[in-house]
């Protein structure tokens, strides 16, 4: 299972870097979203899913059978933050497209007259 997840994480990172290096602002935003999804999967894979018992103290369950709640809590927080950042990027990109009429980063550069 870990090998399949490693391949998926590698593919997400590869696609994210490819999209981030493009000149289209929408592709850059999609690339940052893919990069955050890859990071979430990396945290989940490295943290492991652990045992089968919930992380609540109960009689008859050993400490090694508990599932570690920390990776899931970190990933949940990271998902919320990445959703907020992606939403902010989309709003800024939409506003830039309204003002400039393009999403090409090369054409968005200021000129000597308008810096």
């Amino acid at each position: 299972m870990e090998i399949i997840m490693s391949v998926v994480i590698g593919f997400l990172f590869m696609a994210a870097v490819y999209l981030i290096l493009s000149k289209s602002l929408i592709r850059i935003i999609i690339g940052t979203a893919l990069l955050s999804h890859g990071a979430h999967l990396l945290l989940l894979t490295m943290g492991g899913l652990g045992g089968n018992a919930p992380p609540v103290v109960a009689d008859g369950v050993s400490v090694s059978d508990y599932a570690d709640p920390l990776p899931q809590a970190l990933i949940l927080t990271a998902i919320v933050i990445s959703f907020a950042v992606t939403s902010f990027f989309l709003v800024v990109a939409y506003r830039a497209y309204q003002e400039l009429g393009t999403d090409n980063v090369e054409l968005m550069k200021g000129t000597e007259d308008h810096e």
Side-chain angles (χ1 to χ4, degrees):
M1 181 70 174
E2 288 86 14
I3 293 178
I4 294 172
M5 291 297 286
S6 299
V7 171
V8 169
I9 292 167
F11 180 77
L12 284 174
F13 282 157
M14 176 203 59
V17 168
Y18 175 76
L19 289 173
I20 288 173
L21 293 176
S22 68
K23 294 181 181 181
S24 173
L25 198 56
I26 296 300
R27 286 185 179 190
I28 293 171
I29 294 170
I30 293 171
T32 57
L34 282 179
L35 188 67
S36 67
H37 289 314
H40 300 155
L41 286 177
L42 181 66
L43 283 173
L44 184 63
T45 304
M46 293 299 110
L49 295 176
N52 296 327
V56 178
V57 178
D59 294 331
V61 179
S62 67
V63 175
S64 63
D65 291 338
Y66 289 127
D68 188 14
L70 187 61
Q72 286 90 1
L74 288 174
I75 292 168
L76 182 62
T77 304
I79 288 171
V80 170
I81 291 171
S82 67
F83 177 73
V85 169
T86 303
S87 300
F88 177 72
F89 282 165
L90 285 172
V91 168
V92 169
Y94 179 70
R95 184 69 180 135
Y97 183 77
Q98 279 184 332
E99 286 292 319
L100 302 173
T102 184
D103 71 337
N104 190 341
V105 178
E106 291 291 324
L107 298 176
M108 288 183 177
K109 288 183 181 178
T111 61
E112 293 178 8
D113 298 334
H114 302 289
E115 286 191 31

